[in-house]
Amino acid sequence: TLAITVKKSDFSEWYQQVIRKAELIEYYDVSGCYILRPWGYFIWEQIQRYFDDLIRTEDVENSYFPMFISAKHLNKEKEHVEGFKAEVAWVTKYGESDLNEPLAIRPTSETIMYPAFAKWVQSHRDLPLKVNQWTNIVRWEFKFPTPFIRTREFLWQEGHTAHSTKEEAIKQVYTILDFYEQVYGELLAVPVIKGIKTESEKFAGGDFTTTVETIIPQNGRGLQGATSHHLGQNFSKMFEINFEDDKKQKAFAWQTSWGLTTRSIGAMIMFHGDDKGLVLPPRIAKYQIVIIPIIHKDLDEKQLNERCEQIKQILIKQKLRVHLDNRDNYSPGWKFNKWEQKGVPIRLEIGPGEFKNNEVRVVQRFDNKKYQIKIEEINKLNQILDNIHNAMFEKAKIELNQRIKQADNWKEFMIQLNQRNTILTKWCERQECEQQVKGKSGMESKEKDSEINGQVQLTGSAKTLCMPLKQDEIKEGEKCFHCGQQAKRYVLWGRSY
Ligand SMILES: O=C(C[C@H]1NCCC[C@H]1O)Cn1cnc2c(c1=O)CCCC2
Ligand SMILES: [Mg+2]
């Protein structure tokens, strides 16, 4: 049926219906893989354009590396791959013949890129080296797939840099983290929390991981939005990426790597959608405005169409993405419904009244506000779209903050967790304390545990999402909420995707 048959509160069913009825996704017969239709792919293209403009200011150069990795190469950095090798997909045949050695399909490209980095970096004058690539990635996840959020093939960018000093590398990590915050806030109107991953949640191959985390308001689950890692010299020692510094000393390069994926689109859908379907932030909408003529017996159809075409041309001159839906085989009501489902930020209706008074009827998708504007005021629409973006962002910030609570002890912590909130607590930073919280919160959780491939997934357990960059200082004597030992940092806990 055309309509979405559930409310957003029936969240997972709602999400599945919205992504199809907004024509973002089509299903595909390989589990965990989905077709990205034009309406959805356009969003990824806007993210690429915006992020490329940002990293260009950092002199990052786009490039392309092969997608196949020999086992020898992949296992070069054992530790980094060890925990993940179950997810690596392999090519073992071509035609009827076997490959004499299987090739991994890239799950990430450190082991593909860094042997080349070692060739390119000899002197400190070859640094900093900064490359990025936009590719697909394959990870044979066995957790239940969700389009955009968790898929076996996804699109991402991965940036990799090499520097002559630790300071420069660390500065790079945080510059990129700020760019990720901008992609989410300025483009997708999705608020994020910048933070640092705990030792047990960080990328094992690196020194430390910074992250932008968001919280899906409907279920209070944390969602990792993008990560920016300081790799230290771990990979440069492994791959011999060294250089002669200005004192003629051999030194290992200091590296970073950072990634943002199509999961960001899933976060945007979840934050902004409503019972009528998708609600697109204007900056990533394939159509920002749809014009719908309302044919009427007292109105000459040809004149009406000319008026609509004229308005369309004015909007194109204002650099807006506009679509005139003058199909005669669908009713206005049907069109209203369809373009609302697809999340078009503004609909302009032009019927007999508007025609006579030289105006248009504006219907805003985000808040359903309706009003008339004169044709000579059409230039207001650029500002109106900006105001819509800002209003969507402000609303999302309020909803995110409503899902963050504080707790000073275990009882308060579990009350909040079972109300599907994330919880900010003082913490001792001890890994065993973190593991105990994970285990106990799973046991005491009201959420049912899911069973996948015979493995119980503690869906109910809380994990650390990040240690927020912005946090109060902790003083001597302030205790860890769980173990009572001296606290060191505030950490945000939650169930997560
Ligand atoms: O991919 C990264 C680190 C890094 N890769 C480049 C982009 C930034 C950042 O994600 C971590 N990681 C996650 N998942 C996997 C791997 C892995 O290294 C390797 C094996 C398959 C699964
Ligand atoms: Mg993973």
Side-chain angles (χ1 to χ4, degrees), residues 365-408:
R365 175 67 182 87
F366 152 66
D367 54 9
N368 206 28
K369 274 212 185 73
K370 299 171 175 151
Y371 49 91
Q372 311 290 108
I373 60 169
K374 291 282 177 212
I375 289 190
E376 51 271 18
E377 293 171 321
I378 288 269
N379 55 13
K380 284 181 179 170
L381 286 173
N382 291 63
Q383 185 56 54
I384 288 168
L385 286 164
D386 259 0
N387 298 344
I388 288 171
H389 174 93
N390 297 335
M392 289 176 73
F393 192 28
E394 288 314 307
K395 177 170 175 275
K397 280 185 216 168
I398 290 165
E399 289 173 356
L400 175 127
N401 288 321
Q402 281 166 347
R403 285 293 190 187
I404 303 173
K405 306 294 181 191
Q406 299 233 14
D408 286 325

Side-chain angles (χ1 to χ4, degrees), residues 65-78:
F65 289 75
M67 65 181 292
F68 299 112
I69 322 170
S70 64
K72 181 166 50 58
H73 260 153
L74 186 70
N75 295 321
K76 184 97 188 212
E77 222 279 340
K78 238 169 164 23

Side-chain angles (χ1 to χ4, degrees), residues 44 47 51 55 107-110 131-135 137 139 154-160 173 176-177 179-181 183-184 203 209-212 224-231 256-264:
W44 186 241
I47 292 170
F51 191 69
I55 58 176
T108 180
S109 302
E110 282 79 0
V131 296
N132 177 67
Q133 65 174 359
W134 293 91
T135 68
I137 283 291
R139 293 176 182 178
F154 56 86
L155 305 180
W156 78 351
Q157 58 65 223
E158 51 178 315
H160 298 260
V173 168
I176 296 296
L177 192 70
F179 289 171
Y180 287 147
E181 182 182 38
V183 168
Y184 273 94
F203 167 38
T209 289
T210 68
T211 178
V212 286
Q224 182 179 290
T227 51
S228 179
H229 310 271
H230 176 56
L231 304 180
T256 78
S257 77
W258 20 280
L260 164 78
T261 76
T262 34
R263 160 181 284 201
S264 53

Side-chain angles (χ1 to χ4, degrees), residues 26-292:
E26 183 51 78
Y27 286 102
Y28 185 63
D29 66 358
V30 172
S31 166
C33 297
Y34 304 90
I35 295 164
L36 260 181
R37 300 183 66 177
W39 198 249
Y41 191 71
F42 182 85
I43 301 169
W44 186 241
E45 287 181 317
Q46 301 314 307
I47 292 170
Q48 282 181 288
R49 188 166 302 173
Y50 187 85
F51 191 69
D52 266 347
D53 287 349
L54 288 174
I55 58 176
R56 195 175 303 111
T57 68
E58 285 288 300
D59 298 323
V60 175
E61 295 179 303
N62 279 335
S63 55
Y64 187 82
F65 289 75
M67 65 181 292
F68 299 112
I69 322 170
S70 64
K72 181 166 50 58
H73 260 153
L74 186 70
N75 295 321
K76 184 97 188 212
E77 222 279 340
K78 238 169 164 23
E79 176 196 336
H80 137 241
V81 175
E82 200 42 47
F84 297 110
K85 66 179 191 296
E87 295 178 15
V88 178
W90 295 87
V91 176
T92 58
K93 284 169 64 82
Y94 61 99
E96 289 308 304
S97 320
D98 291 339
L99 284 174
N100 51 31
E101 60 153 289
L103 293 170
I105 297 173
R106 67 175 162 234
T108 180
S109 302
E110 282 79 0
T111 57
I112 298 168
M113 292 177 158
Y114 297 170
F117 281 25
K119 293 179 194 161
W120 300 339
V121 174
Q122 306 306 329
S123 131
H124 66 90
R125 265 180 265 284
D126 302 321
L127 295 173
L129 170 63
K130 304 188 182 187
V131 296
N132 177 67
Q133 65 174 359
W134 293 91
T135 68
N136 68 327
I137 283 291
V138 173
R139 293 176 182 178
W140 221 256
E141 310 254 5
F142 44 81
K143 276 189 189 174
F144 200 75
T146 303
F148 294 113
I149 299 295
R150 183 184 301 283
T151 56
R152 284 182 164 164
E153 178 185 9
F154 56 86
L155 305 180
W156 78 351
Q157 58 65 223
E158 51 178 315
H160 298 260
T161 68
H163 305 262
S164 47
T165 67
K166 181 176 184 178
E167 293 66 32
E168 192 183 286
I170 291 177
K171 185 168 180 295
Q172 183 72 75
V173 168
Y174 285 98
T175 300
I176 296 296
L177 192 70
D178 289 346
F179 289 171
Y180 287 147
E181 182 182 38
Q182 286 178 56
V183 168
Y184 273 94
E186 293 311 301
L187 215 55
L188 303 174
V190 169
V192 296
I193 298 157
K194 289 194 283 189
I196 296 177
K197 288 284 185 185
T198 63
E199 278 306 291
S200 34
E201 292 298 331
K202 77 174 190 183
F203 167 38
D207 267 8
F208 66 83
T209 289
T210 68
T211 178
V212 286
E213 298 284 323
T214 194
I215 304 164
I216 302 305
Q218 281 65 33
N219 54 23
R221 279 187 180 269
L223 182 73
Q224 182 179 290
T227 51
S228 179
H229 310 271
H230 176 56
L231 304 180
Q233 296 173 312
N234 304 349
F235 284 93
S236 59
K237 286 173 179 164
M238 202 66 68
F239 289 90
E240 299 286 312
I241 305 170
N242 49 32
F243 62 99
E244 221 163 69
D245 64 17
D246 44 10
K247 296 183 222 54
K248 292 263 172 278
Q249 299 291 317
K250 270 274 177 207
F252 287 108
W254 296 88
Q255 290 179 268
T256 78
S257 77
W258 20 280
L260 164 78
T261 76
T262 34
R263 160 181 284 201
S264 53
I265 298 172
M268 179 279 294
I269 295 164
M270 291 181 166
F271 256 91
H272 303 307
D274 64 12
D275 292 345
K276 293 191 288 191
L278 184 64
V279 180
L280 288 173
R283 292 172 190 157
I284 47 113
K286 188 168 190 299
Y287 300 150
Q288 294 164 313
I289 294 173
V290 65
I291 299 171
I292 298 178

Side-chain angles (χ1 to χ4, degrees), residues 410 413-414 417 432-445 449 458 460-463 482 493:
W410 184 253
F413 178 87
M414 282 313 297
L417 185 67
E432 56 274 23
C433 180
E434 182 177 4
Q435 296 315 317
Q436 282 161 8
V437 171
K438 256 173 132 170
K440 273 166 67 179
S441 59
M443 309 306 252
E444 297 178 24
S445 156
D449 291 332
L458 274 180
S461 65
K463 60 191 265 198
H482 173 247
W493 304 82

Side-chain angles (χ1 to χ4, degrees), residues 298-468:
D298 304 348
L299 191 50
D300 175 283
E301 201 171 324
K302 193 167 161 309
Q303 283 186 348
L304 176 61
N305 257 321
E306 277 163 16
R307 174 69 58 78
C308 292
E309 196 54 51
Q310 175 204 4
I311 290 165
K312 178 181 164 184
Q313 290 315 317
I314 296 170
L315 292 169
I316 288 172
K317 279 201 185 63
Q318 291 169 209
K319 305 222 180 310
L320 291 173
R321 295 187 292 272
V322 53
H323 174 70
L324 167 54
D325 184 354
N326 52 13
R327 290 174 292 179
D328 57 12
N329 54 333
Y330 292 102
S331 70
W334 188 93
K335 293 177 185 178
F336 294 174
N337 195 309
K338 195 62 203 162
W339 294 113
E340 282 169 357
Q341 266 183 4
K342 287 174 72 73
V344 173
I346 284 183
R347 165 175 92 224
L348 299 183
E349 299 171 17
I350 294 140
E354 289 74 31
F355 189 85
K356 192 161 51 59
N357 304 332
N358 277 321
E359 57 188 21
V360 292
R361 179 165 183 67
V362 179
V363 181
Q364 296 184 172
R365 175 67 182 87
F366 152 66
D367 54 9
N368 206 28
K369 274 212 185 73
K370 299 171 175 151
Y371 49 91
Q372 311 290 108
I373 60 169
K374 291 282 177 212
I375 289 190
E376 51 271 18
E377 293 171 321
I378 288 269
N379 55 13
K380 284 181 179 170
L381 286 173
N382 291 63
Q383 185 56 54
I384 288 168
L385 286 164
D386 259 0
N387 298 344
I388 288 171
H389 174 93
N390 297 335
M392 289 176 73
F393 192 28
E394 288 314 307
K395 177 170 175 275
K397 280 185 216 168
I398 290 165
E399 289 173 356
L400 175 127
N401 288 321
Q402 281 166 347
R403 285 293 190 187
I404 303 173
K405 306 294 181 191
Q406 299 233 14
D408 286 325
N409 58 54
W410 184 253
K411 186 169 170 297
E412 288 171 8
F413 178 87
M414 282 313 297
I415 288 168
Q416 292 305 341
L417 185 67
N418 284 321
Q419 285 172 11
R420 300 187 152 191
N421 289 316
T422 63
I423 309 106
L424 187 68
T425 75
K426 294 170 193 153
W427 177 50
C428 58
E429 274 202 81
R430 292 182 311 107
Q431 286 202 3
E432 56 274 23
C433 180
E434 182 177 4
Q435 296 315 317
Q436 282 161 8
V437 171
K438 256 173 132 170
K440 273 166 67 179
S441 59
M443 309 306 252
E444 297 178 24
S445 156
K446 297 277 179 292
E447 293 282 326
K448 66 196 175 313
D449 291 332
S450 71
E451 176 105 5
I452 296 180
N453 311 343
Q455 297 184 354
V456 174
Q457 313 275 329
L458 274 180
T459 46
S461 65
K463 60 191 265 198
T464 57
L465 304 174
C466 72
M467 297 179 279

